[in-house]
Amino acid sequence: MKTIKKLLVISILMVPLFGAAQIYLDKYNFGEGLNFSGEKGYKMRLEGFIQPYMETKRYTGTDDSELYNRFRMRRLRMQLSGSLADEKLSYRLRLDLSGTSEADLDEANSNILLDAYIRYSIDDNLSVTFGQKSTPTDNRELNINSQTLQLPERSRITSVFSTIREFGVFLDGTYRITPGGMYVRPAVAITNGDGQNAFKKDYGGLKYGGRLDFLPFGLFSNFGQFREADIVRERTPKLVVGMNYSYNDGVSSRRGRNSGSILYLNDRNEEELPDFIKLGVDFMFKYQGFSMLGEYVKGSAKVSKDITQRVRNDGSVSSGFEIDGQQHVANYIKNRMMLGEGYNIQAGYIFTNLISVDARYTHLRADKYSFMNNGTFYNRPNYYTIGVSKYLSRNYGAKIQASFTYVDAAPGSNDNAGNPIDGNEWVGRLILTIGF
């Protein structure tokens, strides 16, 4: 699999060579990339953006609580995409040069390679993609481009349950089902089930899943289904309602994101892994500057009775699965997985002067045995966020965003250093986006 992925990247870089001997700059609009075309109809686009970011956090309950400040380049992304003359064959190569991860610190993976795939359009309604990309089995916010987010960061639902990107085969369709403009968008994915891990060994079996989106009022304008705020101010109401499901046959991490981070064996010292199941429903609505996004996700597990050993971080093997002094294999394994449910609801409005006011509420409910009860990274059931954004162009080319989040910390929660906290916490964020 590692060799296949390397060959795919090389193939993507070679696609332009087959399209045309010469290419010319066709047009450039700020924030929308450099668009090139070839004398034989070949098309290519080079685009990217940077996001300097600042975060400050404080814990309530004590007067002398310290401020935790964080400054970093949140994202620094470059993307090369294109298609041949008949647009049947297209490709994308996306890199992140910031050195940070879209994931949390509990299971971060800061791979430079984000997207690397080749797509073939079977007809006007159906396409097949092979490579690494975002998966339709994640919640709706993971189908939203990072440059177009409504708030400085994605919701906690995304960080808890999503796999972000996967390597595999993807089938995507768009079908008009009524003369009045109703559409359905089915998607099917068969992936390695190990998340964004382009150059690592694959563990476990495959992951199978899909999504079905229903658009009763027609398609969104200017790819609005994949952009959060309604900057184009939809002239008629637009709505998409979707459902997604996935079954990961043998997961070697908390939710199928970081391959090989958690491994188990049977009594014959053979790899034996639990399965991870995820179900979600979501919607997005836009009309004349107003937008609303709602998501629900539930994660569950199926633990094999054949698991008798676990692999420690140092590579040694142990048969101990103790919880509160008692041996319990299934519950011990579940304690290391993201099991439970949560929902996220957010809404905002962009005024004609390109100032946006937004709000979000996220709720998480962990199973009794789940890593969502971890005191340092999670164990926080409620997140209340308000934000304001100023768009500096009438697209997503430049904007500045600020938000304030108040977090309910459940008993047993810790600060960043692992020390117990008595109260709750608040987080302030500031991010600047510049694209080309």
Side-chain angles (χ1 to χ4, degrees):
M1 183 65 75
K2 184 188 299 184
T3 302
I4 293 176
K5 293 172 183 176
K6 289 181 178 178
L7 289 174
L8 178 65
V9 174
I10 295 172
S11 300
I12 291 173
L13 293 174
M14 292 180 65
V15 168
L17 299 179
F18 298 99
Q22 292 180 317
I23 59 174
Y24 307 91
L25 180 61
D26 186 27
K27 63 178 181 177
Y28 172 70
N29 295 321
F30 175 73
E32 297 179 2
L34 297 164
N35 294 272
F36 300 88
S37 61
E39 54 188 13
K40 296 182 180 180
Y42 171 76
K43 296 179 181 179
M44 185 176 72
R45 173 182 288 185
L46 178 64
E47 56 189 315
F49 65 92
I50 63 172
Q51 289 185 324
Y53 174 87
M54 181 189 74
E55 176 182 298
T56 183
K57 180 185 292 186
R58 184 168 185 174
Y59 300 97
T60 65
T62 56
D63 296 333
D64 59 347
S65 175
E66 295 184 11
L67 284 174
Y68 292 86
N69 297 313
R70 189 181 191 188
F71 301 84
R72 60 172 174 161
M73 184 61 67
R74 183 64 183 90
R75 300 176 183 92
L76 198 171
R77 296 191 174 172
M78 301 287 292
Q79 177 174 302
L80 178 68
S81 58
S83 63
L84 298 187
D86 59 3
E87 298 188 357
K88 284 283 190 179
L89 190 67
S90 60
Y91 68 92
R92 174 184 291 178
L93 176 64
R94 177 181 292 181
L95 308 175
D96 192 326
L97 307 178
S98 67
T100 61
S101 171
E102 200 80 15
D104 294 299
L105 294 177
D106 76 283
E107 202 175 25
N109 186 358
S110 56
N111 239 328
I112 290 177
L113 181 63
L114 299 182
D115 294 336
Y117 63 77
I118 294 174
R119 174 174 291 156
Y120 179 74
S121 296
I122 299 173
D123 55 34
D124 292 339
N125 304 111
L126 187 64
S127 66
V128 60
T129 303
F130 178 63
Q132 179 170 292
K133 63 184 287 290
S134 60
T135 172
T137 60
D138 274 338
N139 54 301
R140 183 164 302 281
E141 198 176 34
L142 257 295
N143 293 317
I144 303 295
N145 192 305
S146 301
Q147 189 178 356
T148 70
L149 293 178
Q150 194 170 24
L151 291 157
E153 279 290 5
R154 301 182 190 273
S155 77
R156 202 59 169 153
I157 290 291
T158 294
S159 58
V160 169
F161 293 107
S162 69
T163 52
I164 303 178
R165 282 176 173 83
E166 297 181 26
F167 191 99
V169 178
F170 307 84
L171 196 64
D172 297 279
T174 300
Y175 297 94
R176 185 171 179 170
I177 58 175
T178 68
M182 289 186 182
Y183 284 81
V184 292
R185 280 184 158 166
V188 176
I190 301 176
T191 68
N192 59 356
D194 290 317
Q196 180 188 336
N197 65 323
F199 305 111
K200 293 184 179 180
K201 176 184 175 181
D202 294 333
Y203 292 89
L206 297 176
K207 178 179 177 180
Y208 310 89
R211 164 179 284 275
L212 180 63
D213 282 348
F214 173 60
L215 297 92
F217 309 132
L219 301 179
F220 288 70
S221 303
N222 196 27
F223 303 103
Q225 182 180 339
F226 309 102
R227 299 173 175 180
E228 226 163 49
D230 185 23
I231 197 170
V232 300
R233 305 184 68 85
E234 294 281 0
R235 295 183 180 182
T236 60
K238 299 297 181 182
L239 173 68
V240 56
V241 180
M243 179 177 182
N244 61 85
Y245 173 85
S246 62
Y247 189 96
N248 196 333
D249 183 17
V251 62
S252 60
S253 58
R254 305 198 191 283
R255 84 282 267 169
R257 179 188 290 170
N258 194 11
S259 177
S261 59
I262 303 176
L263 297 174
Y264 302 98
L265 306 173
N266 57 30
D267 55 10
R268 298 181 297 278
N269 291 323
E270 299 170 338
E271 178 185 293
E272 192 77 41
L273 301 173
D275 301 335
F276 184 71
I277 304 99
K278 187 168 64 176
L279 173 68
V281 293
D282 45 49
F283 75 90
M284 177 185 283
F285 175 81
K286 290 185 176 183
Y287 181 53
Q288 293 188 352
F290 175 79
S291 61
M292 176 176 285
L293 173 70
E295 304 168 293
Y296 169 83
V297 182
K298 179 175 178 59
S300 58
K302 180 181 178 182
V303 180
S304 171
K305 295 181 180 180
D306 293 332
I307 296 177
T308 58
Q309 303 174 83
R310 59 185 175 89
V311 180
R312 297 189 181 100
N313 291 336
D314 61 3
S316 61
V317 176
S318 172
S319 59
F321 292 85
E322 292 187 357
I323 297 179
D324 298 328
Q326 295 184 351
Q327 183 86 343
H328 203 302
V329 176
N331 291 342
Y332 184 98
I333 293 172
K334 291 179 178 180
N335 252 345
R336 306 173 80 185
M337 302 176 69
M338 306 304 285
L339 307 180
E341 59 186 349
Y343 61 84
N344 173 62
I345 185 75
Q346 64 187 65
Y349 181 77
I350 295 184
F351 295 89
T352 54
N353 60 3
L354 300 183
I355 292 178
S356 174
V357 178
D358 309 285
R360 167 194 288 157
Y361 171 65
T362 304
H363 175 71
L364 299 174
R365 184 182 297 113
D367 288 353
K368 180 178 180 181
Y369 298 102
S370 169
F371 194 75
M372 290 170 63
N373 296 309
N374 179 274
T376 300
F377 297 107
Y378 303 103
N379 200 38
R380 290 150 172 83
N382 298 301
Y383 299 77
Y384 310 87
T385 301
I386 56 173
V388 61
S389 302
K390 170 59 178 176
Y391 292 80
L392 305 177
S393 61
R394 293 196 174 273
N395 56 19
Y396 299 95
K399 59 180 177 174
I400 184 169
Q401 298 174 285
S403 70
F404 173 88
T405 301
Y406 186 80
V407 184
D408 286 338
S413 297
N414 306 319
D415 62 17
N416 288 357
N419 303 311
I421 58 176
D422 295 326
N424 298 316
E425 62 186 62
W426 62 260
V427 184
R429 296 183 173 96
L430 179 68
I431 192 168
L432 175 66
T433 301
I434 298 289
F436 69 84

